[in-house]
Amino acid sequence: MTITKAKIELPIPRKRRGSCTNHDKAMLRYFDTVGNAMVRHLDFSIVKCVLVASPGFVKDKLMEYVLSTERSEFKPLQENKSLFVFCHSSSGHKHAVSEILSDPNITSRLCDTKAAGEVKALGDFYTMLKNEPARAFYGPAQCIAASEQEAIDTLMVTDSLFRSVDLAERKKYVKLVEDVKGYGGIVRIFSSLHVSGEKLSLLSGVAALLRFPMPELEDMVVDSDSDSD
């Protein structure tokens, strides 16, 4: 589903021989308007990738302007410039979205962008596991227990669990994800086809970074191990 958050239409005078002043001023006004709309509608705590598309070089001039200007209102865009992917489209109309997303080169870059976020999250988990093990846990029982205390800052779960064909298992992980989102935690669904998803699968397929230490969960792991002996 495609949702239109802003539709921007401004008159742009044609370039005249010997003078482009009116045209250039109108383009800057257009870039300002588009840039402000992007700041208003893009939530970078959620958005993992932004496709910027246009015919010709409009997209390049737009992003060159918003990413290089010293105006403070564009700072969120500049701080997240690594998330922007430039691509060609035949028009600026909504139907061009399907055209863009059907390009295998673009879908590949989108996957790489998402995967980069997954790799970083898993790296942060291993770092926390080494430095503050009472704030990094994996396994369904430990993650669910942490979520019951609203302790999860970042939840990582593989798509094979989140979309499991086993109804009971799927419901369990869907509830966990909804609970974490409900109290403001971050949720990352890892692709089982990517190396980061394969690594998470080796950790039971679900792991969490906590907001505060919960050493009692370490005892839960020990207890479960002793029960199995």
Side-chain angles (χ1 to χ4, degrees):
M1 179 173 64
T2 303
I3 300 173
T4 302
K5 289 289 189 177
K7 185 175 182 179
I8 298 166
E9 295 179 327
L10 293 176
I12 306 294
R14 291 181 179 276
K15 291 183 179 180
R16 295 183 180 275
R17 182 176 298 178
S19 176
C20 298
T21 302
N22 291 336
H23 172 82
D24 292 344
K25 285 182 177 179
M27 289 301 296
L28 289 179
R29 190 162 59 248
Y30 173 70
F31 292 159
D32 277 333
T33 306
V34 174
N36 283 313
M38 292 168 70
V39 171
R40 188 163 58 251
H41 295 293
L42 293 177
D43 182 354
F44 287 107
S45 67
I46 301 173
V47 171
K48 306 304 178 211
C49 181
V50 181
L51 295 180
V52 184
S54 77
F57 297 100
V58 177
K59 61 185 180 301
D60 304 274
K61 293 178 180 179
L62 164 67
M63 296 311 297
E64 180 182 1
Y65 175 75
V66 299
L67 295 179
S68 63
T69 184
E70 296 182 359
R71 291 174 53 178
S72 59
E73 61 263 40
F74 292 151
K75 190 174 181 181
L77 304 179
Q78 296 165 357
E79 291 175 342
N80 293 279
K81 63 182 180 180
S82 62
L83 300 183
F84 289 90
V85 174
F86 298 80
C87 44
H88 174 79
S89 66
S90 59
S91 77
H93 297 290
K94 189 164 67 174
H95 66 77
V97 173
S98 298
E99 168 196 330
I100 297 163
L101 295 178
S102 65
D103 184 337
N105 292 326
I106 297 301
T107 53
S108 174
R109 292 170 70 183
L110 286 175
C111 289
D112 290 342
T113 302
K114 180 178 181 293
E118 295 174 357
V119 170
K120 183 181 184 304
L122 199 58
D124 291 344
F125 175 82
Y126 282 122
T127 299
M128 187 70 76
L129 191 62
K130 178 181 178 180
N131 298 330
E132 292 186 70
R135 288 184 56 201
F137 290 93
Y138 59 90
Q142 291 70 33
C143 291
I144 290 172
S147 183
E148 289 172 350
Q149 301 300 316
E150 299 188 359
I152 294 180
D153 180 62
T154 302
L155 176 72
M156 294 163 282
V157 59
T158 59
D159 55 2
S160 59
L161 291 178
F162 185 65
R163 302 182 180 94
S164 174
V165 294
D166 183 293
L167 181 59
E169 183 175 69
R170 184 168 73 248
K171 283 184 174 180
K172 177 172 70 176
Y173 288 103
V174 168
K175 182 180 186 303
L176 177 60
V177 165
E178 290 177 348
D179 287 347
V180 172
K181 287 183 177 179
Y183 56 76
I186 298 168
V187 174
R188 290 189 175 275
I189 308 296
F190 281 53
S191 170
S192 300
L193 300 177
H194 192 269
V195 64
S196 58
E198 293 175 356
K199 289 182 178 179
L200 183 58
S201 294
L202 297 176
L203 298 175
S204 79
V206 61
L209 288 166
L210 307 191
R211 295 170 171 172
F212 49 82
M214 292 188 69
E216 62 270 27
L217 297 184
E218 296 177 5
D219 297 333
M220 180 184 293
V221 175
V222 173
D223 290 343
S224 63
D225 289 342
S226 62
D227 289 343
S228 62
D229 290 339

